[in-house]
Amino acid sequence: MGNSSLADANAFKHAAADGQVGIDPDAAQTVLNKIRTGKDAIEALLSGSGSLAQPPKLGANPVGQAMAEKFVQRADGGGDSYASALKNLLGQYEAAEQGIVTAMSKYHEIDQSAADPFRKA
């Protein structure tokens, strides 16, 4: 699911870069602010995610040690860890932000090019 969302965000970013999408900057500013707020929150969570990788004190027996090790791997390891999920979400926020900013900058360009045929007639 996460990769699909990232692919969608990247597709939007590329469509904006290619001039296929334009967004009125005034209308998009609220959305852009919300994306940036979410991105800031994810960055804050990522900066503190290392503290989650501290093994819990579950006892000095094999079961407790195995559970503690599993906890550490899920918090800060690769694959489907908490940190990986946050990095994936941050990538989606960044792609969406870049797409919105690009689409905002393309808005007037697209509007001008659409009006040009009527001005020359």
Side-chain angles (χ1 to χ4, degrees), residues 16-64:
D18 291 341
Q20 298 172 1
V21 178
I23 298 175
D24 180 5
D26 295 332
Q29 194 60 50
T30 301
V31 172
L32 187 59
N33 290 340
K34 288 181 180 185
I35 287 172
R36 288 179 173 158
T37 299
K39 193 174 124 185
D40 290 345
I42 296 302
E43 287 172 340
L45 287 170
L46 267 172
S47 70
S49 68
S51 64
L52 291 175
Q54 301 302 315
K57 295 174 181 22
L58 298 174
N61 59 58
V63 173

Side-chain angles (χ1 to χ4, degrees), residues 90-112:
L90 181 60
Q92 292 174 36
Y93 271 116
E94 288 172 344
E97 178 186 32
Q98 291 170 3
I100 297 263
V101 168
T102 302
M104 288 168 69
S105 69
K106 296 282 186 180
Y107 175 77
H108 294 294
E109 181 182 318
I110 292 170
D111 192 41
Q112 292 288 336

Side-chain angles (χ1 to χ4, degrees), residues 65-75:
Q65 290 171 343
M67 288 175 65
E69 184 178 321
K70 179 74 170 182
F71 179 84
V72 169
Q73 290 171 354
R74 294 287 286 173

